[in-house]
Amino acid sequence: MIASGDPYAVKIYNEYSKAQMTSFPNLSDDDIKAIFAYVDQASAAPAAAAGGAAPAGGAAAGDAKGGAPSDLFVIVLVALVVVMVLVLGVLLVIVSLLSKAVKGGGAETEAPGGEGFGGLLKRIAVDPAIRSATLWIFVLLVLKSTLDGAFSVGVQQGYAPKQPISFSHKLHAGEYKIDCNYCHTGVNRGKSAHIPSANICMNCHGVIKKESPEIQKIYTSIENNQPIEWVRVHNLPDLAYFNHAQHVNVGGLECQNCHGEVEKMEVIQQRSSLTMGWCIDCHRKTEVNTKDNQYYDKLVQLHASESKEALKVADIGGLECSKCHY
């Protein structure tokens, strides 16, 4: 239709940056009729039913995720305080017994009836050994907390921010089994997987569930010529280079290898740590698929002369610093 100069087709083609809708030549006539039947049924559904529960559920999930870090911090802090108190109590008892033993204490030096709890606390407070042990415990705990905090800088495992539009991967990728490549068009071709543009959403939602409040946000974005401000979930530092095409197209990895079971996520979140250690561990364990690929013939031959194990990514430069940092 575009080649023939159809005015409406050319207008739509130019309006959406000359992005063509994906062709599905493998669909039969029955498949196409089933799609149209679904569109008619979905369009006839009441507006309230079309958009009712999804936004609330998405918002609730986002709010729950947003409050998780604070709750976790409080729990960890309380646990550390409890552990410190218990350790301090045990040390006080041990130091007290050792002090008695060194001084030749016991029954001969203890006053009749005991000195009482208050006296014991006073004696413990002035004991230099106890004060020194308490100081060292405090220093070690602070040092441990500092190191734990330093190692967690930049790690966002479990991060699930609230998005401007409630989008369910569980519904689209799970129930409807829409291929990830349909929306994330760059995953096989370049460094980035790409965040889907509004026109990709409109390929379906131009006729399906148009009355939904969440879908109306897409319409508003298009009408105002404003991009949807999606919140990035998976982040790598600028000092690290990662190429989706190299891993997906060449390495043959599935999205779930790094992103988890996305097709089961109502709200998308970062499942893996994505740290350097996590990547290196994967390179050490992953075998290279060399079958029927002459590129690897010489490498396989050289590797077999030195090792009986299968060729791993680590054996072909997967641990070299310059692969990710250059």
Side-chain angles (χ1 to χ4, degrees):
M1 293 178 69
I2 296 171
S4 66
D6 182 85
Y8 184 72
V10 172
K11 175 180 177 296
I12 296 297
Y13 182 60
N14 292 327
E15 182 179 348
Y16 292 103
S17 304
K18 297 183 178 181
Q20 297 185 27
M21 184 174 180
T22 305
S23 175
F24 296 96
N26 57 316
L27 293 178
S28 66
D29 291 342
D30 291 337
D31 292 332
I32 296 174
K33 290 178 181 177
I35 293 173
F36 277 113
Y38 171 77
V39 170
D40 292 338
Q41 181 183 4
S43 299
D63 293 342
K65 290 293 182 181
S70 299
D71 296 339
L72 180 61
F73 176 78
V74 172
I75 293 173
V76 172
L77 185 62
V78 172
L80 284 175
V81 172
V82 172
V83 171
M84 287 180 62
V85 172
L86 292 176
V87 172
L88 182 59
V90 173
L91 284 174
L92 290 177
V93 173
I94 293 174
V95 172
S96 179
L97 294 175
L98 290 176
S99 178
K100 287 183 179 181
V102 170
K103 295 179 181 179
E108 298 177 358
T109 57
E110 187 177 353
E115 58 184 348
F117 185 71
L120 177 62
L121 288 179
K122 289 181 180 179
R123 190 157 58 84
I124 290 175
V126 298
D127 192 314
I130 295 178
R131 286 187 295 181
S132 178
T134 304
L135 178 62
W136 275 108
I137 291 173
F138 178 76
V139 171
L140 291 174
L141 287 174
V142 170
L143 180 61
K144 182 182 183 303
S145 299
T146 302
L147 290 175
D148 290 343
F151 277 109
S152 64
V153 171
V155 178
Q156 299 184 128
Q157 192 168 12
Y159 179 55
K162 184 178 179 180
Q163 300 290 354
I165 298 177
S166 297
F167 179 87
S168 172
H169 278 79
K170 182 178 180 181
L171 175 67
H172 292 78
E175 184 175 343
Y176 293 150
K177 301 188 183 303
I178 298 176
D179 194 307
C180 301
N181 297 277
Y182 181 77
C183 299
H184 302 284
T185 56
V187 71
N188 282 310
R189 299 184 296 178
K191 178 179 182 291
S192 175
H194 296 170
I195 295 175
S197 56
N199 67 297
I200 293 181
C201 304
M202 297 309 293
N203 284 341
C204 297
H205 290 294
V207 290
I208 296 175
K209 292 190 175 182
K210 297 191 294 183
E211 303 84 0
S212 167
E214 297 302 304
I215 304 304
Q216 284 298 314
K217 294 179 182 178
I218 304 177
Y219 280 89
T220 302
S221 173
I222 295 174
E223 291 169 359
N224 296 331
N225 197 26
Q226 292 289 332
I228 301 171
E229 297 182 1
W230 299 105
V231 180
R232 189 182 183 96
V233 178
H234 301 86
N235 294 284
L236 289 180
D238 293 338
L239 53 86
Y241 175 82
F242 177 85
N243 191 303
H244 272 86
Q246 183 180 6
H247 290 78
V248 177
N249 196 26
V250 180
L253 295 182
E254 297 291 336
C255 303
Q256 290 83 353
N257 286 92
C258 300
H259 297 292
E261 296 179 308
V262 177
E263 69 278 8
K264 296 181 180 180
M265 298 184 193
E266 187 68 37
V267 178
I268 198 71
Q269 66 170 272
Q270 180 177 322
R271 287 290 175 88
S272 304
S273 64
L274 302 184
T275 61
M276 184 173 72
W278 182 83
C279 295
I280 288 177
D281 187 57
C282 181
H283 286 185
R284 286 172 174 162
K285 294 178 179 178
T286 303
E287 297 182 9
V288 180
N289 182 14
T290 61
K291 185 178 180 181
D292 300 326
N293 192 333
Q294 295 181 356
Y295 175 84
Y296 293 107
D297 287 348
K298 186 63 176 179
L299 290 173
V300 172
Q301 182 181 351
L302 292 172
H303 178 74
S305 64
E306 298 181 0
S307 175
K308 295 182 179 180
E309 296 184 1
L311 185 69
K312 307 288 181 63
V313 177
D315 299 318
I316 58 172
L319 300 186
E320 293 180 6
C321 302
S322 59
K323 290 289 184 180
C324 303
H325 309 290
Y326 64 85

